[in-house]
Amino acid sequence: MAKNKLNKNWLHDHINDPYVKLAQKEGYRARAAYKLKEIDEEEKLIKPGQIIVDLGSTPGSWSQYARNKLAGKEGGGINGMIIGLDILPMDPIADVHFIQGDFRESESVKQLEALLAGRKVDLVLSDMAPNLSGVAISDAARVEYLIDLAVEFAQMHMKPTGSLLVKCFNGTGYNEILHKFRAEFKVVMSKKPKASRDKSSEIFLLGKTLKNPL
């Protein structure tokens, strides 16, 4: 019974959520677009001409937002490149290259490198999150693992002056993740956008300029 009540409460909150309504109105696939929008507006992350990689891109709202920011090229299309990567399928988004696969595996890396053609990435976005079990220690380890993967990806594929934005959770293991970010980036900021629900421990970490690019 408690679970049913919880599901009903979540559904009620979701249906009445102003960001859900805004996403439906503006054509975004998820309310998560507004988290990126707020951080981008504060930090001016997305600029014309950039190469952007969206890790864990499905369902695609972050790629949609980035695409809208790079739109306006003469004759249509975008001024820059966006590559989405996910092990789950994603419905196509105009002007966004999508690679379905695990970015740790050679097949996905080959596809990525073919698109990059020797160029480095300006901005790496990661809204990846594991399926949480409710066991704090194991959940923290899963979150940390995904963030480690995103940092490693940035070190390999991003310009030294680039930026990495990842989803994190403020709880067990957060200080360790923050410490790692500070070891790898010259500038580190934590962000809690308004579109991130108050009840959620979700927080975003932004790292700018790599200290140790590979």
Side-chain angles (χ1 to χ4, degrees), residues 25-36:
K25 184 182 165 192
E26 297 189 341
Y28 284 113
R29 294 175 183 178
R31 67 193 294 290
Y34 300 101
K35 301 171 191 177
L36 177 58

Side-chain angles (χ1 to χ4, degrees), residues 125-188:
L125 303 171
S126 172
D127 196 26
M128 293 190 294
N131 293 323
L132 299 177
S133 65
V135 180
I137 291 171
S138 61
D139 286 345
R142 287 174 186 163
V143 170
E144 192 170 347
Y145 175 65
L146 288 180
I147 289 171
D148 283 347
L149 290 178
V151 170
E152 199 176 291
F153 181 92
Q155 287 172 325
M156 290 182 72
H157 299 289
M158 197 172 80
K159 289 177 182 171
T161 54
S163 299
L164 169 66
L165 178 68
V166 300
K167 174 150 75 183
C168 189
F169 294 91
N170 193 354
T172 307
Y174 174 70
N175 287 338
E176 287 84 346
I177 292 167
L178 191 58
H179 180 73
K180 280 185 184 179
F181 247 65
R182 286 179 175 151
E184 300 299 342
F185 293 95
K186 290 184 180 174
V187 178
V188 175

Side-chain angles (χ1 to χ4, degrees), residues 57-70:
S57 56
T58 302
S61 65
W62 277 25
S63 288
Q64 283 181 302
Y65 174 77
R67 191 248 166 226
N68 290 344
K69 283 295 299 277
L70 299 187

